[in-house]
Amino acid sequence: MTVLHNPVIRGFAPDPSLVRVGDWYYVATSSFEWFPTIPIHRSRDLAHWVYAGHVQGAPPGGTLAGVPDSGGIWAPSLSWDGERFWVVYTVVRSVGTPYFDQDTYVTTATDVAGPWTPPHRVASHGFDPALFHEEGRLWLLNLQNDHRPGGARFAGIVLTELDRDTLAPRGVTHLLLQHERLVEGPKLLAHGGWYHLVVAEGGTGFEHGVRTARSRTLTGPYALDDRPLLTSRDDPQLPLQKAGHAELVETPDGEWFLSHLTARPLDTGNGLRCTLGRETAIQAVTWDTEGRPRLRQGGWHPAVEVEVPASPCEVAQPADTQEVLGWPWSTLREPPDPSWADPVSRPGWIRLRGRHGPESRWAQSLLAQRLTEHRSTAQVTVQAAPSTFTQAAGLIVRYDAEAYLSLDLTWAEPAAEPQRGQQWRGAGRTVLSLVERDEKGARQAAVVDVDANAPVTLGVTVAGAEARFWYVRDGIRVPVGPALDAGRLSDDHGDRLRFTGTLAGIHVRDLVDASFTADFRDFRLTCVPA
């Protein structure tokens, strides 16, 4: 046996959809506004996971330009029909409205690394779709969204048969389940003469959980279990919180496990904050004497350590992850493109051409990687020559457009001059500007003069809910400004919906003519497990 340690995919990896194909297990996770879209990891033993590819081309047109923070691709569901992989997912273009302005798509591939077929739109009752394959027939599960004033935005789980070739709906749509508690994320499986419906309940925050319902017939009615299969909402002291959104899988030897999302909160003094976002965990499952799934350890609380079957062979890292700008790099709303992200013109450096600012929904020149532990250090060397305040390049720790911290090489007026929007070329000074952004706006926390003609190494150390920025001068780390509040970089800060996680990376902006470039080398993100 092998002992896994949850979370098994750490940092921003929510809504895991788990499937087994032969001796391999695969998990697809939500990507929201980030690229690569729908990352997929694989494992031989459920304990050790590596990136295996992503659903390239998932957004129609290849872009998510304009989608809001925490919009984009929600809750993909991965399945296998014996010949090919299927992924169904929703592109959400409005967040915090009753409409969601969503479209649901299906794509297939014979290998998770692709190529994937062009996305095909299917019935879009709501987000969190899933597919169920049975005897050559294809069924679409979905949350039903009622947008009307006074309506229930989570109005139950519905099932529609799709034509396997055209993906057009066949017959009527069946209502499988409604519940007074919010239910979403439906998955179906057949076991022991029953159809089991696995649903997330209670929302995706600390109240999250998993419940099951079952029926003798596919189209219902489904009887809801009188207790949760999984939740941590009744014990705020558990190290794994927000446990929910699960999917069951059977091993070749007949054992059962489930994937689920979870989060590791920090107690910041301002409440619990999950700065790493929601992550992927695995639990062991048994079936009770009445034929219902139960956690192997008993109860419904998620375990940090879980025994799983030993791997039949070593898991190798797929070769395609070694691309210079491939995983673990991520970009916002579009994939990296040589027009603004150039890793070849200057060997050993990455050149970024500045475009929009850090709050844009359209064209940010940003490369970032996920924070996977509460203690992390990021550093990079940057060389650039900004000549106006509209140009900047540096290091950013980012949750979204209303929650980021950045230390940027930029231009400022001479020290004796006020800030009045001057864009003098050849005048002024080169500085490091430390900025913190929250829902109340951006504030400059510190300004430090630096040599305009030399590369400068920038860094940040995140320890729990505190971030400290620094730069290197004469081989010594020099602090820049005060400690900043990293607890704001969290799903749980503020009063609006947030679903992603914290990333650290490099970015460049040029708000006038998008001609300013900066070169970066030796980016390192070190995340230290507690």
Side-chain angles (χ1 to χ4, degrees):
M1 299 294 288
T2 298
V3 176
L4 65 77
H5 297 268
N6 283 315
V8 292
I9 304 175
R10 303 170 84 84
F12 180 25
D15 309 319
S17 178
L18 174 65
V19 65
R20 178 178 64 84
V21 179
D23 290 328
W24 284 101
Y25 300 92
Y26 298 88
V27 159
T29 53
S30 292
S31 49
F32 296 93
E33 68 266 35
W34 289 93
F35 279 69
T37 47
I38 313 180
I40 298 175
H41 287 71
R42 69 179 184 180
S43 173
R44 288 281 195 178
D45 62 1
L46 296 168
H48 304 95
W49 294 83
V50 296
Y51 175 77
H54 72 281
V55 181
Q56 190 171 13
T63 178
L64 290 168
V67 304
D69 292 333
S70 291
I73 296 178
W74 286 20
S77 181
L78 179 67
S79 57
W80 171 257
D81 69 355
E83 296 180 352
R84 53 182 170 157
F85 292 95
W86 296 67
V87 173
V88 60
Y89 56 95
T90 299
V91 177
V92 175
R93 301 190 182 277
S94 298
V95 177
T97 78
Y99 291 92
F100 293 102
D101 298 319
Q102 62 204 354
D103 298 291
T104 296
Y105 296 94
V106 170
T107 180
T108 68
T110 56
D111 189 298
V112 293
W116 291 86
T117 59
H120 187 109
R121 190 182 186 280
V122 296
S124 302
H125 295 282
F127 51 83
D128 286 7
L131 295 174
F132 179 66
H133 307 267
E134 184 179 55
E135 297 178 352
R137 298 174 74 178
L138 179 65
W139 299 82
L140 173 68
L141 284 155
N142 225 323
L143 161 73
Q144 178 176 239
N145 175 48
D146 187 345
H147 67 273
R148 296 171 297 179
R153 286 197 290 169
F154 299 82
I157 306 301
V158 296
L159 180 73
T160 308
E161 185 173 9
L162 301 181
D163 184 282
R164 281 181 56 86
D165 297 321
T166 67
L167 299 181
R170 299 179 60 181
V172 300
T173 294
H174 306 272
L175 178 63
L176 302 188
L177 178 70
Q178 287 183 318
H179 184 39
E180 65 272 8
R181 185 185 288 271
L182 181 158
V183 290
E184 55 187 331
K187 302 291 190 297
L188 260 177
L189 74 151
H191 178 73
W194 293 92
Y195 291 97
H196 296 267
L197 180 63
V198 182
V199 295
E201 70 166 1
T204 196
F206 289 99
E207 72 282 5
H208 208 20
V210 178
R211 196 175 289 262
T212 63
R214 66 181 183 177
S215 172
R216 290 292 188 184
T217 61
L218 177 60
T219 57
Y222 281 76
L224 199 67
D225 197 352
D226 60 3
R227 50 157 284 185
L229 170 60
L230 174 74
T231 189
S232 45
R233 60 176 167 248
D234 58 339
D235 188 348
Q237 302 305 312
L238 292 171
L240 299 179
Q241 290 291 322
K242 301 185 179 181
H245 201 106
E247 186 157 14
L248 287 157
V249 70
E250 186 178 13
T251 72
D253 296 329
E255 296 184 76
W256 286 84
F257 292 86
L258 65 79
S259 62
H260 67 95
L261 69 78
T262 192
R264 292 173 286 160
L266 293 168
D267 190 350
T268 66
N270 294 315
L272 298 179
R273 298 286 186 265
C274 298
T275 56
L276 304 178
R278 297 166 302 151
E279 308 171 284
T280 292
I282 301 287
Q283 303 295 328
V285 169
T286 61
W287 297 85
D288 68 12
T289 57
E290 296 182 355
R292 292 186 182 273
R294 299 286 184 242
L295 295 184
R296 186 170 66 192
Q297 67 266 24
W300 45 74
H301 292 161
V304 174
E305 295 188 344
V306 178
E307 286 191 348
V308 294
S311 172
C313 65
E314 185 176 346
V315 178
Q317 183 80 354
D320 63 355
T321 65
Q322 306 307 313
E323 297 176 3
V324 175
L325 299 184
W327 189 266
W329 286 116
S330 290
T331 55
L332 274 171
R333 297 179 176 84
E334 62 178 337
D337 185 272
S339 67
W340 61 268
D342 176 6
V344 298
S345 290
R346 187 179 181 186
W349 297 72
I350 297 172
R351 176 166 293 164
L352 297 185
R353 179 176 61 83
R355 298 183 297 165
H356 292 179
E359 298 171 25
S360 172
R361 294 183 179 183
W362 301 94
Q364 288 198 43
S365 297
L366 176 147
L367 294 169
Q369 298 181 13
R370 288 157 168 78
L371 267 62
T372 59
E373 303 295 341
H374 291 124
R375 184 169 185 84
S376 304
T377 298
Q379 72 176 63
V380 69
T381 297
V382 57
Q383 185 170 26
S387 57
T388 89
F389 69 91
T390 60
Q391 299 171 345
L395 182 66
I396 186 168
V397 182
R398 186 185 195 280
Y399 185 94
D400 63 16
E402 289 189 359
Y404 62 83
L405 312 170
S406 66
L407 180 61
D408 295 326
L409 188 69
T410 188
W411 177 96
E413 292 85 355
E417 295 286 341
Q419 180 179 300
R420 291 182 179 173
Q422 295 96 328
Q423 297 187 50
W424 303 333
R425 296 187 178 274
R429 55 197 172 121
T430 301
V431 299
L432 294 177
S433 172
L434 179 63
V435 171
E436 58 178 339
R437 171 69 157 97
D438 62 16
E439 68 279 5
K440 297 178 181 178
R443 296 173 296 281
Q444 190 174 61
V447 179
V448 176
D449 287 79
V450 292
D451 185 348
N453 300 310
V456 59
T457 297
L458 312 177
V460 60
T461 299
V462 179
E466 182 178 272
R468 292 184 178 271
F469 283 83
W470 42 269
Y471 75 107
V472 176
R473 184 179 65 199
D474 300 326
I476 299 173
R477 290 184 180 183
V478 179
V480 179
L484 301 181
D485 183 4
R488 296 178 179 139
L489 312 179
S490 165
D491 300 354
D492 316 295
H493 178 77
D495 57 2
R496 62 184 182 83
L497 297 174
R498 286 176 161 183
F499 299 132
T500 54
T502 302
L503 293 85
I506 55 178
H507 70 149
V508 179
R509 67 177 179 269
D510 182 346
L511 306 181
V512 174
D513 59 12
S515 64
F516 170 68
T517 63
D519 293 346
F520 299 85
R521 73 178 183 199
D522 302 330
F523 178 86
R524 295 198 299 274
L525 175 61
T526 305
C527 301
V528 181

